Amino acid sequence: MDQWSGLFTPQLQALVVLAEHDGHMTRAAAALGVPQSSMSRRIHALETDLKLPLLVHAGRTVRLTPAALDLARRLRQPLREIDLAIAEAVGSADADHGTVRFGFPLTMGTGRIPDLISDFRTAHPGISVVLKQAHGSELADDLGSGRLDLAVVIPPPQHLHCTLIGSQEILAVLPRGHRCAGAADVDLADLAAETFIANPASYHLRGATERWCAEAGFAPDVAFEVTEFTTIRELVARELGVALLPHDDRAPSDVVEVPLAGDHRRAVALASATPLLTPAARRLHDYIVAR
């Protein structure tokens, strides 16, 4: 675990690690590299100091109280920042080795992001990159909780530290036999009578689709809600509807992507919970921004 925060704040670190291991005292103690008895003493000492119940005993197991879980969530990132700051100050940080937990959107599973990760690993073989794909709100939550170090997010969350790295054009995705398939561009109003295939309401792209359609004077008739963008394209190929999606190099041959008239873009950002990153994460951050 983190060397410096473990040295200066052992009780708080014990609580955070215990929460990460779902109240399993033995596993948490092993993760910290201390005996289970020491782990228990730290938690009980923290309860005494705070005058706050942190554990609920249920037979041979323990559960963290809601207050303990909330405190652990709030402490996780500050403790990590303390460890990083001191490691940099004493020169113990290693920028050429380590692990970076990196997330990116479901819409970017092909093309530029995989190319960048591949090139980065070639340039920095000592750094391992653990990847996660998810939609924007989940990536933002993972950054905030410390489960991810960096993520490409669309749009940039206001509560995170973000660097704009580009924009993503959204296109009309149509069956090849659609009346607008051969057009240079298509006005959204021309799709008012169409059946739409879209993401669930929690996805940013679904909200953007509804907003853009409203600006064009109609509410989209969404007959299918699908989380996976590849599945949306497969349904479009079967002429079950149309969709608004970013470009995909691997779109089915029976699908056509047509630019939308007007500006239909989403800002793309590289985000982290705070500006302070591990040296390995900083390497990946700067590599992506530079390219």
Side-chain angles (χ1 to χ4, degrees):
M1 291 301 299
D2 293 343
Q3 172 188 359
W4 301 109
S5 55
L7 177 63
F8 291 114
T9 55
Q11 294 177 7
L12 298 178
Q13 185 70 15
L15 178 64
V16 170
V17 175
L18 188 61
E20 291 173 348
H21 288 81
D22 298 321
H24 197 292
M25 194 73 71
T26 301
R27 293 175 187 167
L32 277 176
V34 300
Q36 183 174 335
S37 57
S38 297
M39 185 76 181
S40 298
R41 284 196 297 272
R42 291 182 186 185
I43 297 298
H44 291 311
L46 187 60
E47 284 186 307
T48 300
D49 292 341
L50 298 179
K51 297 179 176 60
L52 179 71
L54 300 175
L55 299 180
V56 175
H57 294 270
R60 300 179 64 181
T61 64
V62 297
R63 299 195 314 273
L64 274 72
T65 65
L69 289 171
D70 182 63
L71 180 59
R73 178 183 61 82
R74 292 170 179 267
L75 287 171
R76 187 175 291 110
Q77 189 61 36
L79 288 175
R80 184 172 175 78
E81 291 185 27
I82 290 171
D83 191 74
L84 290 173
I86 298 177
E88 289 186 6
V90 300
S92 64
D94 183 357
D96 296 317
H97 297 86
T99 299
V100 183
R101 299 161 299 169
F102 177 70
F104 57 101
L106 296 167
T107 57
M108 291 185 161
T110 62
R112 188 64 174 148
I113 294 298
D115 288 344
L116 282 171
I117 296 302
S118 176
D119 293 344
F120 177 80
R121 278 285 294 157
T122 299
H124 302 283
I127 299 176
S128 298
V129 183
V130 178
L131 301 177
K132 176 177 181 176
Q133 267 191 283
H135 65 84
S137 60
E138 184 175 348
L139 293 174
D141 289 344
D142 284 349
L143 287 169
S145 67
R147 290 188 291 269
L148 288 176
D149 301 305
L150 287 172
V152 174
V153 288
I154 307 172
Q158 294 185 353
H159 65 288
L160 296 175
H161 180 75
C162 296
T163 302
L164 292 178
I165 58 174
S167 64
Q168 181 185 67
E169 182 181 11
I170 303 302
L171 309 165
V173 178
L174 312 171
R176 185 163 294 279
H178 192 277
R179 56 188 169 79
C180 298
D185 58 34
V186 59
D187 194 305
L188 256 181
D190 292 336
L191 302 178
E194 300 286 346
T195 297
F196 277 73
I197 306 169
N199 299 132
S202 61
Y203 282 55
H204 177 265
L205 186 54
R206 171 64 177 273
T209 295
E210 293 181 346
R211 183 175 69 255
W212 291 332
C213 289
E215 292 171 356
F218 71 98
D221 174 19
V222 179
F224 301 94
E225 290 189 346
V226 184
T227 59
E228 295 294 330
F229 295 89
T230 53
T231 305
I232 292 177
R233 290 184 174 87
E234 291 291 343
L235 295 180
V236 172
R238 287 160 176 75
E239 300 185 353
L240 293 175
V242 302
L244 302 185
L245 296 173
H247 170 68
D248 188 343
D249 290 329
R250 298 184 298 182
S253 59
D254 290 334
V255 164
V256 175
E257 296 177 344
V258 181
L260 292 165
D263 184 16
H264 297 86
R265 291 181 172 272
R266 304 191 298 167
V268 180
L270 185 58
S272 59
T274 70
L276 188 61
L277 299 171
T278 66
R282 174 59 60 186
R283 284 256 199 239
L284 179 58
H285 176 282
D286 293 347
Y287 190 90
I288 292 175
V289 170
R291 286 156 181 80

